[in-house]
Amino acid sequence: MGKKKYTYEQKLEAVLNILDKHMSIMSAAKLLGCGKTTLNQWLRLYQEHGCKGLTVTHRTYTGDFKVNTVKYIKA
């Protein structure tokens, strides 16, 4: 079973519930249906990076890039 995905808007609403409405992390997590650890991570990202911290970026690297990185580390 894969992880449940949350939209940027859902993450932002949960974080703002904690910061602006003084909701507890447990209450906000229950309301959204996520874990408190996940919500704590979003809160930290928001505090460190603002709204940009809540956007997910997935990177894929080519095989050549990975091989070159390993060679660089070994050197």
Side-chain angles (χ1 to χ4, degrees):
M1 183 175 180
K3 286 198 251 183
K4 185 173 178 184
K5 308 239 180 197
Y6 297 94
T7 65
Y8 164 79
E9 289 79 14
Q10 289 173 311
K11 293 176 188 179
L12 183 61
E13 181 180 356
V15 168
L16 293 178
N17 280 339
I18 295 166
L19 296 176
D20 293 344
K21 297 180 181 176
H22 307 289
M23 189 180 281
S24 72
I25 289 175
M26 271 310 282
S27 296
K30 238 181 227 186
L31 185 65
L32 184 59
C34 70
K36 65 180 181 176
T37 305
T38 301
L39 194 43
N40 264 323
Q41 184 178 30
W42 296 343
L43 186 58
R44 182 184 53 77
L45 287 169
Y46 181 82
Q47 289 171 329
E48 287 179 18
H49 306 287
C51 293
K52 261 185 142 176
L54 298 178
T55 58
V56 179
T57 57
H58 294 285
R59 293 192 170 116
T60 30
Y61 300 104
T62 65
D64 288 338
F65 178 80
K66 293 176 184 178
V67 169
N68 288 333
T69 302
V70 170
K71 286 179 183 177
Y72 175 77
I73 291 171
K74 283 186 149 185

